[in-house]
Amino acid sequence: MRHIAFAATALCLGLPAAAQDAPSCPLPADRYDMSAEQIEAMYDCMSAYMIEGYQSQGNEIATAYRDWTQASTRPAVAGVHGERFLNTFVNDVAAEQYLKYAEGDFEMPVGSVLAKEMIGVTDDGAARRAPLLIMTKVADAPETDGWRYSGVQPTGQALNVSQSFCHDCHQNFDASDSMGYPLEEVRVSQ
Ligand code: HEC
């Protein structure tokens, strides 16, 4: 209700509604047992608000990634990344190889960028924006198997990430060049 009161106040003062007003996107009681339709409805409700936040400080990847290839059919909870709903996009350099969801002896081409949106859930069961997480394949990061980890906060500011924190987990996916891939049920079929 709170944001409605804010919007009403802004209207009374003749101000444009604050750009950062959160939409009200309530979730069902068991948010980890949502149908595909319920998850899609939540995403539709959050989508414009998320992109507005990520892009608000002009971050280059945040501005570009929604035009890339979506690598999952919808957001899904994978049980890592803080039990958030995850939705991955990959750039043109990465798309062909990423969408094979391959395991084996391969490496992603330098210049690949993978961006993963996250939607969190508050204790009272409302959806909220979480950071956009990014992996970029570079030529000069042997200690992280060529991946540079970064992120963008919902406020648009760069997220402070520890390369070793991210890679300590991602290196477990050593059969897939350190990539975790979306859950099988939401992979894009070729
Ligand atoms: C505890 C393990 C763990 C940690 C820590 C972790 N990740 Fe992940 N990450 C995963 C898993 C598992 C997936 C695949 C899940 C999915 O997309 O459904 C994934 C997926 C991703 C993807 C999508 C590309 C892909 O398929 O791998 C990006 C981008 C990403 N993580 C970035 C990061 C960044 C940046 C950090 C550090 C801030 C980080 N991750 C920390 C486990 C982890």
Side-chain angles (χ1 to χ4, degrees):
M1 291 311 280
R2 205 158 156 237
H3 76 274
I4 295 173
F6 273 126
T9 309
L11 276 177
C12 293
L13 296 173
L15 302 170
Q20 300 294 328
D21 277 358
S24 176
C25 308
L27 307 184
D30 185 354
R31 58 189 190 254
Y32 298 122
D33 191 25
M34 285 165 68
S35 66
E37 290 73 29
Q38 286 173 319
I39 293 174
E40 275 156 20
M42 173 194 69
Y43 185 74
D44 285 350
C45 178
M46 288 293 287
S47 176
Y49 177 57
M50 290 165 71
I51 193 69
E52 179 191 328
Y54 293 148
Q55 292 183 347
S56 60
Q57 308 287 325
N59 178 282
E60 208 177 309
I61 292 172
T63 309
Y65 79 92
R66 283 269 180 103
D67 293 328
W68 297 352
T69 302
Q70 195 171 336
S72 41
T73 53
R74 60 167 168 80
V77 175
V80 291
H81 282 293
E83 305 220 308
R84 289 146 162 174
F85 291 88
L86 315 175
N87 197 25
T88 299
F89 294 76
V90 299
N91 74 352
D92 282 351
V93 179
E96 189 184 345
Q97 180 63 50
Y98 189 92
L99 293 190
K100 292 177 185 163
Y101 309 108
E103 310 243 314
D105 192 15
F106 73 96
E107 268 186 46
M108 294 296 285
V110 167
S112 293
V113 188
L114 320 175
K116 182 175 57 171
E117 299 178 326
M118 300 197 293
I119 301 176
V121 175
T122 58
D123 286 343
D124 56 359
R128 67 168 173 76
R129 298 185 294 195
L132 180 72
L133 293 187
I134 298 162
M135 294 169 65
T136 304
K137 194 73 169 187
V138 297
D140 58 350
E143 66 290 350
T144 49
D145 298 314
W147 289 109
R148 182 138 302 140
Y149 296 85
S150 61
V152 182
Q153 299 181 45
T155 56
Q157 262 121 16
L159 183 74
N160 246 337
V161 310
S162 147
Q163 300 300 308
S164 61
F165 168 76
C166 303
H167 195 63
D168 279 356
C169 187
H170 272 263
Q171 71 182 351
N172 294 314
F173 311 115
D174 55 352
S176 48
D177 195 17
S178 305
M179 298 180 296
Y181 296 143
L183 293 183
E184 280 188 30
E185 68 200 73
V186 298
R187 290 183 188 177
V188 177
S189 55
Q190 292 290 287

